[in-house]
Amino acid sequence: MAHNRRSFLAAGAAGVAGLTFGTLPAAAARPSDAGFGLTDNGASYTASTGAGLTFTIKKGNGDLISLNYQGVELQPRGTNGSHVESGLGNTARVTATQDGTYIVITESVTNWRGSGTLIHYFVAVNGLNNIYMATYVDSKGAGELRWIQYLNREVLANIHTPSDVRGGTPIESKDIDLVGGQTRSKYYSNRPAVELVPRGVTGNGIGVYMAYGNRESSSGGPFFRDIEQQGTGASVELYNYLWSGHNDTEAQRLDVLYGPYALMVADETTPDSPDMTFMGGLGLRGYVPESGRGYVSGTASGISCCLVGFANSQAQYWAVPNPDGTFTSPPMKPGAYAQTLFQGELEVARTRVTVAAGATSAQDIASAWNTPDAVFRIGDWDGTPGSFNNAGNVTRMHPSDTRMSDWGPTTFTVGDSDVSSFPAYQWKDVNSPTTIQFTLGPDQITDRTVRIGITAAYAGARPQIQLNDWTSPTPEPSTQPKSRSLTIGTYRGNNAQFSFQVPTSAFVAGTNTLVIDVISGSGSAGYLSAGFSYDCVDMY
């Protein structure tokens, strides 16, 4: 689970880490008018890109009811129309305009969640087989803010396998299934936000892909994971989850425009993310142009592998430092931000920076993380389960999956056991306790600190330790999202550290035994019992 900095850089170059600005898409500078246009048949609008793609939006509710590429219908029959949120319903107002190179279809409601406004935009560009989108949400908020595209799996059969639940039997909360002995779920299609390069489904020489766009209005930071695909017996579903609350560590950002993002239709070779900066000239509500933005530049120091993040109630951004530590942010909305330095996914420094339109603010950041010499250290302080047992599987299958190694309980012997035998997750009702055995010489017996880092916790779970005959006080639970985490393909919650001050009298010369239990008064049974994800355990 160690992060590949090349993937971070590639994601940033594709615009995932922030925004880039320009004028028109390259193809739009040389439009071909053949077939490009907007048709109104009274009940719906149909837009043709002039390059083989047409799509139809129903006036009654704003659903996309047809996606046709070179005569092949990609929207399956007998399913709901593709839609934003869970569909805007029959109060939606749908309008459309064509102006030269662009077709803009706008759907909106003003009674969202009672009296809120939600606006969703579809844009077609002459000669390009993309549907560009953006979604504005006012202060009333939204539920699961997403675009869900239903696709004909008779045409597009190649889906991300861990998220294909066709023919499955539900085993947890009706959204995790057992299929042919493997656990599958829409949750197991996730990647961290910083790595959201285009991804899609393919078949018969056709591919439909999602370009996730900038994530400035989403929440959870660069390492947040969410649903991307699902396969059912009726269709293939391609998502862009803009906000969901699925173990999200931040509140929903409101009074902002989400996107732009794009649905792309091409062949079976994944295309690059398209230039979407032209949408700044279309009058989209909430769009902040480059002239209204600023930058942050500085130097990150104290660690060699890192990411710099920025966040406030209106936006989030991140930047990958150069090898010498220097960095420049994407173009940012004006305002005061928390600037965070991450060691892997672990926050190791935080400061404040203010961004002004048309200016670059200078703000260095240095790691404040303390890594003392340790008697033992199991894992790395990087905010992930790292190389622990089953860590490579936890984002793409349920912990009960037969492809998982046995979870334990585990006894880990310092100096003999491999780090891969230490559990990535520990549950009260599954594999508790975890036991660590280590040896001390007479000159090593003194007051010591045991640190246990976790990356997420479910149902108030936290560690309590016993060292030989000494038992630690009961710690308070960490602050975590109120959502399932460990079974829905993510270890990403709020990193927390529990420090236990162990007196000299607890130790013996020779073999010592440290027992880590999960304590909580909440939770259910089995893999829904109280549990947490390990980051690192050390003693110094």
Side-chain angles (χ1 to χ4, degrees):
M1 308 265 317
H3 292 295
N4 184 331
R5 291 297 142 182
R6 290 183 179 177
S7 62
F8 279 11
L9 287 166
V16 176
L19 291 170
T20 56
F21 289 83
T23 53
L24 301 179
R30 301 179 297 278
S32 171
D33 293 329
F36 177 73
L38 176 69
T39 302
D40 180 354
N41 74 356
S44 61
Y45 292 110
T46 296
S48 172
T49 66
L53 177 68
T54 62
F55 62 94
T56 300
I57 306 299
K58 185 178 180 179
K59 289 185 179 181
N61 57 14
D63 283 3
L64 189 154
I65 57 174
S66 174
L67 184 73
N68 192 288
Y69 180 62
Q70 296 181 347
V72 178
E73 181 55 50
L74 303 180
Q75 177 101 359
R77 297 182 183 275
T79 61
N80 296 327
S82 302
H83 50 253
V84 70
E85 260 275 356
S86 296
L88 298 187
N90 58 15
T91 63
R93 179 174 182 264
V94 183
T95 61
T97 61
Q98 180 179 342
D99 183 9
T101 302
Y102 306 116
I103 296 169
V104 180
I105 302 175
T106 304
E107 58 184 37
S108 62
V109 289
T110 57
N111 61 348
W112 201 247
R113 299 174 72 86
S115 60
T117 294
L118 187 150
I119 306 171
H120 183 75
Y121 301 95
F122 304 91
V123 178
V125 177
N126 191 353
L128 297 178
N129 287 327
N130 302 326
I131 305 175
Y132 301 89
M133 293 186 257
T135 311
Y136 171 83
V137 181
D138 77 356
S139 60
K140 297 295 183 179
E144 290 195 14
L145 186 61
R146 63 187 178 177
W147 176 259
I148 176 172
Q149 180 66 48
Y150 294 102
L151 295 168
N152 185 351
R153 70 178 302 153
E154 292 182 5
V155 177
L156 301 161
N158 302 320
I159 181 177
H160 182 65
T161 300
S163 60
D164 190 357
V165 301
R166 180 173 60 172
T169 302
I171 61 169
E172 182 182 302
S173 194
K174 298 181 180 180
D175 55 19
I176 299 174
D177 285 46
L178 189 65
V179 181
Q182 295 184 357
T183 53
R184 307 271 184 86
S185 174
K186 57 188 177 182
Y187 292 111
Y188 304 149
S189 60
N190 69 76
R191 294 171 295 172
V194 72
E195 297 180 8
L196 285 180
V197 294
R199 188 190 217 181
V201 295
T202 62
N204 293 286
I206 301 172
V208 180
Y209 305 88
M210 184 64 70
Y212 300 88
N214 78 79
R215 311 305 290 176
E216 72 172 4
S217 296
S218 296
S219 61
F223 310 114
F224 179 69
R225 297 169 177 266
D226 216 331
I227 298 165
E228 296 181 42
Q229 296 183 9
Q230 179 175 236
T232 69
S235 66
V236 169
E237 299 161 7
L238 192 60
Y239 295 89
N240 186 4
Y241 257 88
L242 304 165
W243 188 86
S244 67
H246 296 150
N247 215 56
D248 206 331
T249 57
E250 296 179 300
Q252 184 180 12
R253 291 183 164 92
L254 302 175
D255 282 326
V256 294
L257 183 73
Y258 287 78
Y261 49 101
L263 189 74
M264 303 182 291
V265 182
D267 59 23
E268 296 193 58
T269 301
T270 303
D272 293 332
S273 184
D275 180 2
M276 293 181 268
T277 60
F278 72 96
M279 292 181 71
L282 301 181
L284 309 186
R285 184 169 176 178
Y287 193 98
V288 179
E290 183 178 15
S291 60
R293 295 171 178 264
Y295 295 83
V296 178
S297 65
T299 300
S301 60
I303 52 178
S304 59
C305 185
C306 61
L307 195 73
V308 179
F310 309 89
N312 63 16
S313 63
Q314 292 294 294
Q316 62 173 10
Y317 308 93
W318 42 85
V320 179
N322 298 312
D324 64 357
T326 59
F327 64 87
T328 299
S329 74
M332 297 167 60
K333 295 179 183 179
Y337 289 84
Q339 178 176 311
T340 303
L341 181 63
F342 293 98
Q343 176 174 278
E345 296 183 19
L346 179 67
E347 179 181 327
V348 293
R350 178 175 288 199
T351 187
R352 301 288 295 178
V353 63
T354 299
V355 175
T360 298
S361 301
Q363 182 62 65
D364 296 339
I365 190 166
S367 174
W369 183 252
N370 178 30
T371 307
D373 291 336
V375 174
F376 65 81
R377 178 166 293 119
I378 305 170
D380 298 309
W381 289 104
D382 64 1
T384 80
S387 300
F388 291 152
N389 185 30
N390 291 319
N393 291 332
V394 294
T395 63
R396 58 189 183 93
M397 63 186 74
H398 192 270
S400 66
D401 198 291
T402 57
R403 291 169 292 175
M404 294 282 190
S405 299
D406 182 45
W407 284 103
T410 298
T411 296
F412 184 93
T413 302
V414 173
D416 290 332
S417 298
D418 191 273
V419 68
S420 63
S421 69
F422 196 86
Y425 292 174
Q426 185 174 327
W427 293 268
K428 186 176 183 179
D429 200 35
V430 174
N431 61 336
S432 199
T434 295
T435 302
I436 301 170
Q437 293 186 332
F438 60 95
T439 301
L440 292 179
D443 58 344
Q444 293 178 294
I445 297 177
T446 186
D447 292 352
R448 294 196 177 275
T449 298
V450 172
R451 295 189 301 182
I452 299 175
I454 66 171
T455 73
Y458 176 66
R462 64 272 198 196
Q464 185 178 34
I465 69 169
Q466 180 176 342
L467 204 154
N468 298 327
D469 295 329
W470 177 86
T471 301
S472 73
T474 301
E476 293 297 315
S478 58
T479 300
Q480 299 291 342
K482 296 185 183 301
S483 169
R484 284 181 296 158
S485 54
L486 307 186
T487 62
I488 62 170
T490 184
Y491 57 81
R492 180 73 282 126
N494 289 317
N495 289 309
Q497 183 186 141
F498 296 85
S499 293
F500 302 94
Q501 308 307 313
V502 185
T504 301
S505 58
F507 298 100
V508 298
T511 300
N512 291 258
T513 300
L514 171 66
V515 176
I516 305 173
D517 274 305
V518 177
I519 59 170
S520 175
S522 303
S524 183
Y527 295 103
L528 290 179
S529 65
F532 52 75
S533 169
Y534 278 106
D535 177 9
C536 187
V537 179
D538 65 12
M539 186 181 78
Y540 60 89

